[in-house]
Amino acid sequence: MLQQHVPPMAAFDVMDPHKMMGLLSREQRRLAIDQCFGGWGADNLDVYRRSIDVMENELIAPADLPDGGFRISYGDFLQTLQNYRALTYGQMVVSAVDALQHDEGIRAAVLGPLQHIIVDEYQDTNRAQEQLVLALAAEGAHVCVVGDDDQAIYQWRGATVENILEFRVRFANGGEVAVAEL
C-alpha cells in the first residue's frame, strides 16, 4: 500500500532487526542514545530499540512524549530513517494507519476495491495492527479473523488479547458479527 500510494515511500527499505541494530550502532552518538538512559550501559541500544517498538506498537506520537532526551532522540531517529529512506516494520504499520486516516485520496484508492480482510493469529495483534485493520475495514470490507485467546503469547511486543476478546464490539458497526467458536 505504501509503495503504490505514498510515492515518497515507494523506494524505502525495510529495517530488519539486524539492520536496525547496525543503524543504531552507527548513529548512537548522533542520536545521543546514552543520554536517554542517564549514561552508557551495555544494553542501551537494545533498550532504545525496544522503546522504539513500544512507540510504534502503541501508536504513541513523538509529541506525546515528555520533554527530555528520549523525545529529542526519537525525533532525530525518525529523521534518520527518512535520510536513509528506511522504515521499521512498526513504522510501516504506523505510516499505513496515518495515510488511511488522514489522506482521502489514499483511503479511496485502497479501500474502494477492498472487499475482504483476513487476519490470522488475531490474539497476537498489538494496538497499531488493530488500528490498521480497523482503518482497512472503515468502508465496509468484510473482516475475518482467526485466533485463540488461550494462545496469546506476544504481550512482550505489545500484543493484547483484548483485541480478540473485544472483536465483536469493535467490528459490529451496528450490524451482526458472526463468531465461530470451536
Side-chain angles (χ1 to χ4, degrees), residues 46-117:
D46 188 54
V47 172
Y48 188 83
R49 180 193 54 77
R50 287 186 287 133
S51 298
I52 289 169
D53 287 345
V54 169
M55 297 287 298
E56 296 166 345
N57 293 341
E58 296 299 321
L59 292 176
I60 300 170
D64 293 336
L65 289 171
D67 290 334
F70 184 75
R71 180 179 181 166
I72 294 166
S73 181
Y74 183 64
D76 292 343
F77 168 76
L78 293 175
Q79 184 58 54
T80 300
L81 286 180
Q82 291 291 316
N83 295 344
Y84 278 94
R85 301 184 61 73
L87 291 169
T88 64
Y89 175 73
Q91 278 298 310
M92 287 189 326
V93 174
V94 169
S95 298
V97 169
D98 185 59
L100 289 169
Q101 290 178 342
H102 299 107
D103 189 310
E104 192 62 43
I106 292 172
R107 186 172 35 251
V110 172
L111 302 185
L114 189 61
Q115 295 179 16
H116 305 283
I117 302 165

